[in-house]
Amino acid sequence: MIRLFCLGFFILITALAANFLASKLQFKTWYDFIYGLASSSDYWTQVTFKDLLWLFILYPLLLGLGASLGQIIFLKLLSS
């Protein structure tokens, strides 16, 4: 259970940092994307290739790296 908490914590910290980075680089976040799709039928015209690259490739990759970092730190600190 501690392992899952550690992984979840690192994924959360990574997601917060990634969302901050996305806003600074003017990428759409998942919140923007879902809200835009729900509110407007022509929202796809506002979504750029860089937004899709961020949402479907880079963001999940960063979250996976955050989980991997959490796993490594968990193994180093709490595993004997």
Side-chain angles (χ1 to χ4, degrees):
M1 192 68 158
I2 294 173
R3 178 183 166 272
L4 291 177
F5 177 78
C6 187
L7 292 178
F9 180 77
F10 275 92
I11 292 171
L12 174 65
I13 296 302
T14 305
L16 291 172
N19 283 324
F20 178 76
L21 179 67
S23 68
K24 290 298 178 190
L25 296 175
Q26 298 179 345
F27 292 150
K28 294 203 181 339
T29 63
W30 278 108
Y31 309 109
D32 299 330
F33 184 69
I34 292 171
Y35 180 77
L37 288 178
S39 65
S40 175
S41 61
D42 66 337
Y43 184 71
W44 282 106
T45 59
Q46 300 173 20
V47 179
T48 64
F49 178 73
K50 71 173 183 144
D51 294 325
L52 293 174
L53 182 68
W54 169 254
L55 289 172
F56 291 99
I57 305 294
L58 297 175
Y59 188 74
L61 182 66
L62 285 175
L63 294 183
L65 290 173
S68 297
L69 179 63
Q71 177 72 13
I72 290 168
I73 289 175
F74 173 80
L75 290 175
K76 296 284 185 189
L77 293 179
L78 300 174
S79 183
S80 49

